[in-house]
Amino acid sequence: MMRTALAISPHLDDAVFSAGGTLARLAAQGWQVVMATVFTASVMNPRGFALACQLDKGLAPEVDYMALRRDEDRAAARALGIDAPVHLPFREAPHRGYASAPELFAELRSDDRIGANLADAFERLVADTGPDLILAPQAVGGHVDHVQVVRAFRGAQPPLPVLWWRDFPYTVRTAEPKEPLRAIFAHLPEQIVRLDAEAGRRKAEACVAYASQIGFQFGGPEGLRDRLAAEDGIERFHLQGRLPPDLRDAGFA
Ligand SMILES: [Zn+2]
């Protein structure tokens, strides 16, 4: 029977940036790979900081920014060789009261009660997909959307094993990235996955598919290439539970 891996991505790009090579390797091994992104809701007539986040990517106010990003995500999934991605209908932080870039990396707002809704959605997603392996973020970098996902997902008590990824590009942007949830993961063993040439190529192609993010995040495709190269063809996780033994042949050292 075909086995299923479920990747829980906060934003449209996180799973690919952080674990795309692993997803490509799993697909090449015959796994079904479901990439589900949490914050993908279109919000019409954005204002204030939310609008600024769109304008600074060179997109006019009337453009459906999230529809464009969902299309990028579909292209990225094709590049990885995985199933068409799943898009959950939750609003990104700038649409939940976070009003500036620093606020995106500060404390959770007391009126941001999205966690309970996320936990419900995760339980349903796990029930629908029946995953044999889950991949999810550690919230390295401390983005409030990533923190909400980790907290809610843990609260939903997912079946094991879970590979918790280190959130790229926060991992390479500063020497000591913020890790607000470090205590949750510190005791779990580290698991590395080596990307073969094919997985590395697929990951690079999938990352470039997020064209609206590349300039803002990396200053362009060359910057992305340099940042990816800094990861040395390895993706790093903390492992909760036990991996299926046959994955050792698939680069899981
Ligand atoms: Zn993100």
Side-chain angles (χ1 to χ4, degrees), residues 143-154:
H143 192 295
V144 292
D145 282 342
H146 292 223
V147 172
Q148 288 284 30
V149 164
V150 174
R151 285 169 45 141
F153 194 58
R154 281 170 43 84

Side-chain angles (χ1 to χ4, degrees), residues 91-112:
R91 294 173 169 221
E92 290 190 319
H95 303 289
R96 303 198 312 278
Y98 297 89
S100 69
E103 284 184 36
L104 295 179
F105 298 93
E107 298 296 305
L108 299 183
R109 291 175 59 99
S110 59
D111 61 355
D112 180 9

Side-chain angles (χ1 to χ4, degrees), residues 12 40-46 54 59-72 95 212:
L12 294 158
T40 82
S42 289
V43 180
M44 294 300 130
N45 306 313
Q54 171 163 347
L59 299 170
E62 64 275 12
V63 172
D64 185 340
Y65 176 38
M66 298 307 289
L68 182 149
R69 293 181 60 188
R70 293 192 297 270
D71 284 345
E72 293 174 346
H95 303 289
S212 68

Side-chain angles (χ1 to χ4, degrees), residues 9-14 69 143 145-146 167-168 170 217:
S9 190
H11 300 120
L12 294 158
D13 65 14
D14 288 310
R69 293 181 60 188
H143 192 295
D145 282 342
H146 292 223
D167 309 59
F168 178 91
Y170 303 110
Q217 295 261 24

Side-chain angles (χ1 to χ4, degrees), residues 5-6 22 26 31 132-138 153-154 158-166 182-193 235-248 251-253:
L6 171 64
T22 302
L26 287 165
W31 284 60
D132 302 285
L133 170 65
I134 292 173
L135 299 94
Q138 292 180 36
F153 194 58
R154 281 170 43 84
L160 303 180
V162 179
L163 283 171
W164 300 95
W165 71 62
R166 292 184 57 75
R182 181 197 289 264
I184 292 175
F185 303 107
H187 69 286
L188 297 173
E190 186 168 86
Q191 174 72 49
I192 67 165
V193 176
E235 291 173 347
R236 290 185 170 75
F237 305 87
H238 279 298
L239 171 64
Q240 186 177 8
R242 291 164 60 99
L243 283 182
D246 62 302
L247 283 182
R248 277 190 212 115
F252 291 67

